[in-house]
Amino acid sequence: MPDPIVVQVVVDKPLSQGFDYLWDAKQLGALPQVGQIIEVPFGRGQEIAVVIKVSAHSDYQIDKIKYVDKVSPLPPLNLALLRLINFASQYYVHTLGETILPTIPQMWKKADSWKKNVDKINEARKKNPKAIGSQKEGFITAEQLNAEQKKALEALNNPSNSGTKFRTILLQGQTGSGKTAVFLNWISGILEEKDAQVLLLVPEINLTPQLERRVRAYFPDKIMAVLHSGVTEKKRGIAWYEAMTGKAQIILGTRLAALTPMPNLKAIVVDEEHDTSYKQQEGTRYSARDLAIWCAHDGQFPIVLSSATPSLETWIAAKAGRYEYIRLDQRAQGAKLPRVHLINTRDPRNQYSPGDQGAPKTKSLISKTLAQAISKNYQEQKQSLILINRRGYAPVLSCSSCNWLSKCSQCSSYMVMHKPGALGKRSVLNCHHCGLVKSIPQFCPDCGNADLKTLGQGTQKLEDSIEEMWPQARVLRVDADSSRKSKGAEELFQEIHDGNVDIVVGTQMIAKGHDYQNIGLVAVLDADARLYSADFRAAERLFAQLVQVAGRAGRAGAEGEDGGDIYIETQYPEAPVFQYLLRHDVDGFMAYIARERDEAKLPPFTYQGLVHAEAKSLEKAIGFLNELKARLKQHGMVPIDVYVYDPVPKTVMRVAGSERAQLVIESTNRKLLQEILENIDRDLRQQSQGRISKVSRIRWLVERDPIAI
């Protein structure tokens, strides 16, 4: 009797072990391969699984093992991807099944549709073998690059004599310096190799359409796969299939694209590498940028990290010589950098006084100085961009009699007032944490007073105020609500590009990466909200955002032309973040915060892990983490170079009815931190079912390299 064929598989469950199944080669029509996607009986139902091992033996009785039901017609996930996901699973302390299965699109998780899907895609590809684009938007050949860009491209094309093809290169350039044109011309050389694939990562889907058009202009004869949460499941499924079969030579996407099977991957570009959107905040909490670097090292090919404001980790690595460092210090067209103006909102000269000529009828939400600058810019027929990082009409609704505030009943946060629109036909209160929507009360719920007032301002309120101050101007609001109402953010951005808008009001969506052609003025309101925060990275993130939004101004100017203006309203103009911005001194600011972090022994000079706990009461969550800390010390699992802090509530303590606490673990030794996090994971698993403790029903999660503490 021939030896049985046993496959070990993983499924999308919080279970650390693999599961053995028998493989009937005759019935399935093929021999098993590592990386194959299959369907297996699991519990009372069926589960999609991935084969991770093939053998002739099992630790279980053969006659007790179930058979594999179906095997997909897809090629197996390539070995390089399996190595990457195995590393991600170990480093980020998450099970292999929970890491690998969520990367497979829903379209390929329905076994009954497998063959039909493959046949349809192959038939469509026969009819249209190449996705032909038109060479128009943003097409700049290598010959058209300026001298500085040509020098950067030459450096990318001529690696140092390191004896290895793996290179991590920081491409740091001023906003508008033409970084995109440089790396697209670099990619064109790589794509000359037969069947070569390249991966282009962007932080957010809002940046994808514009870059997609530019890529199609550069490579009209190449097939491109676009992968992000904004595309339909069907389109994502097709793009993923074309990437895994090697048909798509260019893969463009957000963080999940880093875990896409690409058998012929030869280069990676991470655009806006500093952006926190590259860090996953659910499930396996991986950093797509860091995994992309690991992937390039494993595959021995180059990776380019592009940014005007690199993350501190990347900047330090480049300065220390661990990464190659290429700089672009001038704008591509030769225009000057925007002038920076700090408006001290504590200075009465910057505010309207009663009787001022041109003062609005109602209280102005922007300073007199800024209003005058917007008027001048409008008269010059240039567009203005106003950034405020709060969507909705007002952050809080309040009672003037008893000081009642519109708190969310499910979260430890306030419900935001929204005008009629994306959330309903009437004004509503909406919690931005749990999504709860309530109608606005006619009377105060506590004292019955009918005089309810709004506190603070959001994009909707600012939009109303601007329409009142400039009634002739065409005003457009760009935030998550307005983009949800129409066909999406792309349509709104196209309105700006087409010149159909005079004043744009929006959240950080408008700040990143967009190549606007006629922005003469950029304004930032309430910049201080992000300056003083419990988050030690707050100043770094604010500086990056200010540089990014400032860079939207004056981008199309020619040699020596005006670079536009950025106005920042602040109560603290003397703060270092604003002073370095005045001089456009990115390196000076990086050096300043590097010294601060080093003195305080904070990342990247130390490494952190986080244990999250959620319970029905905060007392239970804190107790659960205290017991964990006590066990770690009792069993001698806390080395001298590792510090375990006392558990504390999270910044937003309650979300959707669950109370949340955290335990921070810190070490200057990366390896020791990894060991203690793995020990914690094992300890908690022994007393849990999945990720919920058996005794007190606490939901827990271990996170490596957290970006929000």
Side-chain angles (χ1 to χ4, degrees):
M1 187 176 176
D3 288 335
I5 303 174
V6 178
V7 293
Q8 190 173 80
V9 308
V10 288
V11 294
D12 190 3
K13 303 285 181 188
L15 303 165
S16 52
Q17 77 271 29
F19 299 91
D20 286 359
Y21 286 87
L22 287 171
W23 185 283
D24 186 334
K26 189 175 180 182
Q27 188 259 324
L28 295 172
L31 290 170
Q33 297 178 66
V34 170
Q36 272 182 312
I37 298 169
I38 59 174
E39 186 183 60
V40 296
F42 192 89
R44 295 180 180 178
Q46 316 298 121
E47 286 286 336
I48 299 300
V50 173
V51 177
I52 59 168
K53 187 180 176 184
V54 180
S55 74
H57 306 284
S58 174
D59 294 335
Y60 303 96
Q61 279 183 247
I62 292 293
D63 59 355
K64 297 281 175 89
I65 301 176
K66 295 177 180 178
Y67 280 88
V68 171
D69 282 341
K70 292 178 182 174
V71 55
S72 80
L74 298 167
L77 301 176
N78 58 300
L79 294 180
L81 176 72
L82 293 175
R83 288 194 298 272
L84 175 67
I85 289 181
N86 192 54
F87 166 76
S89 166
Q90 291 176 359
Y91 184 80
Y92 293 105
V93 199
H94 225 67
T95 72
L96 190 56
E98 286 176 296
T99 306
I100 195 169
L101 269 301
T103 69
I104 300 171
Q106 288 299 322
M107 176 175 169
W108 300 107
K109 290 183 178 176
K110 297 167 186 168
D112 293 340
S113 306
W114 277 340
K115 188 173 184 311
K116 183 178 70 177
N117 289 338
V118 169
D119 290 345
K120 276 186 176 179
I121 294 170
N122 290 337
E123 190 62 36
R125 185 52 66 200
K126 280 179 192 173
K127 292 177 183 175
N128 181 24
K130 292 283 182 189
I132 304 299
S134 56
Q135 294 196 18
K136 49 180 182 179
E137 183 173 330
F139 180 68
I140 302 167
T141 64
E143 292 73 30
Q144 292 172 307
L145 298 175
N146 65 29
E148 195 178 43
Q149 289 173 307
K150 284 178 180 174
K151 189 177 176 184
L153 181 59
E154 193 178 313
L156 285 173
N157 286 329
N158 296 301
S160 56
N161 297 319
S162 57
T164 173
K165 290 184 178 178
F166 166 66
R167 306 157 64 203
T168 305
I169 306 133
L170 169 60
L171 178 61
Q172 180 182 337
Q174 296 281 3
T175 52
S177 60
K179 297 182 292 294
T180 306
V182 170
F183 67 64
L184 288 180
N185 275 284
W186 174 65
I187 282 170
S188 69
I190 289 161
L191 289 173
E192 286 174 4
E193 183 182 333
K194 191 174 185 294
D195 298 329
Q197 293 178 298
V198 296
L199 171 64
L200 270 172
L201 290 176
V202 291
E204 293 187 11
I205 60 172
N206 299 322
L207 299 181
T208 316
Q210 190 176 13
L211 186 56
E212 182 183 347
R213 287 193 294 272
R214 287 196 70 176
V215 173
R216 290 198 191 281
Y218 271 71
F219 310 106
D221 59 336
K222 304 292 184 189
I223 294 172
M224 177 160 56
V226 179
L227 290 154
H228 58 74
S229 60
V231 298
T232 63
E233 278 299 335
K234 182 180 177 183
K235 283 185 178 176
R236 188 186 155 216
I238 293 170
W240 186 83
Y241 175 78
E242 296 201 322
M244 84 175 311
T245 54
K247 288 193 175 100
Q249 293 140 296
I250 302 167
I251 294 87
L252 170 64
T254 50
R255 61 175 175 263
L256 191 60
L259 296 174
T260 297
M262 295 166 279
N264 305 312
L265 189 58
K266 300 299 179 190
I268 299 176
V269 174
V270 184
D271 199 17
E272 310 290 0
E273 69 82 27
H274 65 278
D275 201 291
T276 55
S277 301
Y278 284 122
K279 183 73 158 68
Q280 173 78 357
Q281 292 301 302
E282 294 174 352
T284 308
R285 300 197 172 195
Y286 63 88
S287 162
R289 178 201 63 197
D290 295 351
L291 287 185
I293 294 170
W294 191 95
C295 176
H297 179 267
D298 180 62
Q300 288 298 293
F301 56 74
I303 177 170
V304 169
L305 309 177
S306 173
S307 178
T309 53
S311 62
L312 188 58
E313 291 84 351
T314 298
W315 185 83
I316 288 172
K319 284 288 183 182
R322 296 197 303 277
Y323 295 172
E324 291 180 42
Y325 200 177
I326 300 173
R327 298 178 61 107
L328 295 171
D329 292 321
Q330 297 170 359
R331 288 191 146 182
Q333 308 299 323
K336 296 175 184 175
L337 288 169
R339 293 176 294 272
V340 181
H341 309 266
L342 301 178
I343 300 173
N344 186 346
T345 52
R346 290 178 295 178
D347 187 339
R349 290 172 298 178
N350 288 321
Q351 305 302 332
Y352 282 106
S353 302
D356 273 356
Q357 188 177 1
K361 294 174 185 176
T362 55
K363 185 183 176 184
S364 176
L365 300 181
I366 58 178
S367 64
K368 175 183 175 182
T369 307
L370 176 56
Q372 289 170 345
I374 293 172
S375 292
K376 182 173 179 286
N377 193 63
Y378 176 53
Q379 286 163 9
E380 292 173 356
Q381 296 186 325
K382 291 182 180 177
Q383 295 170 311
S384 298
L385 200 71
I386 305 176
L387 172 74
I388 180 167
N389 254 344
R390 283 201 189 102
R391 64 185 175 94
Y393 187 80
V396 186
L397 194 63
S398 127
C399 172
S400 57
S401 178
C402 72
N403 294 325
W404 168 86
L405 298 170
S406 55
K407 287 184 178 177
C408 176
S409 57
Q410 300 292 310
C411 307
S412 53
S413 63
Y414 297 105
M415 298 190 79
V416 178
M417 181 180 165
H418 285 255
K419 290 198 306 182
L423 298 175
K425 293 180 179 178
R426 296 182 180 178
S427 295
V428 294
L429 293 173
N430 171 230
C431 176
H432 290 179
H433 292 282
C434 70
L436 181 66
V437 176
K438 284 185 175 180
S439 56
I440 293 176
Q442 291 182 314
F443 306 97
C444 172
D446 285 359
C447 72
N449 175 34
D451 187 16
L452 299 179
K453 294 182 178 178
T454 57
L455 298 179
Q457 59 180 324
T459 49
Q460 293 177 346
K461 193 173 185 180
L462 185 59
E463 179 188 25
D464 285 356
S465 180
I466 285 167
E467 285 176 341
E468 181 194 334
M469 293 178 75
W470 292 277
Q472 305 303 318
R474 298 164 297 175
V475 181
L476 178 70
R477 174 168 52 86
V478 181
D479 57 22
D481 299 322
S482 62
S483 62
R484 196 185 298 139
K485 257 186 357 182
S486 62
K487 290 182 181 177
E490 185 180 0
E491 191 178 81
L492 298 177
F493 289 124
Q494 197 57 50
E495 287 288 301
I496 305 170
H497 294 310
D498 292 344
N500 299 330
V501 180
D502 299 312
I503 302 174
V504 184
V505 177
T507 56
Q508 61 180 352
M509 285 172 68
I510 63 175
K512 300 175 183 178
H514 298 286
D515 194 14
Y516 307 121
Q517 295 299 299
N518 191 35
I519 300 289
L521 178 148
V522 168
V524 181
L525 307 190
D526 200 17
D528 302 337
R530 294 186 67 182
L531 184 59
Y532 296 103
S533 156
D535 178 9
F536 66 84
R537 293 185 178 93
E540 180 185 353
R541 289 173 184 168
L542 175 61
F543 184 80
Q545 186 182 65
L546 292 175
V547 170
Q548 289 291 327
V549 74
R552 300 315 107 204
R555 293 178 71 87
E559 182 90 34
E561 275 191 19
D562 183 18
D565 296 89
I566 174 170
Y567 290 81
I568 300 167
E569 291 192 348
T570 174
Q571 293 186 56
Y572 310 100
E574 67 285 351
V577 64
F578 301 128
Q579 290 301 311
Y580 281 106
L581 187 73
L582 272 174
R583 303 189 294 271
H584 297 282
D585 188 2
V586 174
D587 291 290
F589 179 74
M590 289 293 176
Y592 165 75
I593 56 170
R595 288 192 299 272
E596 263 196 346
R597 300 267 189 92
D598 194 13
E599 288 169 10
K601 290 292 174 274
L602 286 167
F605 300 98
T606 188
Y607 306 101
Q608 291 180 329
L610 205 58
V611 184
H612 302 260
E614 286 186 20
K616 287 298 177 188
S617 74
L618 183 63
E619 187 182 3
K620 280 188 175 182
I622 295 279
F624 173 80
L625 295 175
N626 268 323
E627 288 170 14
L628 170 63
K629 182 179 177 180
R631 283 198 306 276
L632 292 174
K633 290 193 170 180
Q634 184 185 343
H635 297 138
M637 289 194 286
V638 184
I640 294 171
D641 288 338
V642 174
Y643 191 84
V644 181
Y645 290 86
D646 288 333
V648 293
K650 282 180 172 281
T651 308
V652 181
M653 189 174 68
R654 186 171 68 254
V655 171
S658 289
E659 303 284 347
R660 313 185 311 158
Q662 63 187 24
L663 182 73
V664 178
I665 299 125
E666 206 169 67
S667 177
T668 53
N669 187 308
R670 192 190 287 267
K671 189 178 178 186
L672 286 179
L673 178 66
Q674 188 69 30
E675 286 173 6
I676 193 171
L677 293 180
E678 288 172 359
N679 287 335
I680 287 170
D681 188 64
R682 275 192 293 272
D683 174 90
L684 293 177
R685 283 187 182 286
Q686 286 170 4
Q687 49 194 292
S688 302
Q689 189 168 2
R691 295 190 183 281
I692 300 175
S693 64
K694 292 174 185 173
V695 177
S696 47
R697 307 300 293 167
I698 309 290
R699 186 179 294 277
W700 58 269
L701 181 82
V702 178
E703 181 178 5
R704 181 72 204 259
D705 301 338
I707 58 164
I709 293 182

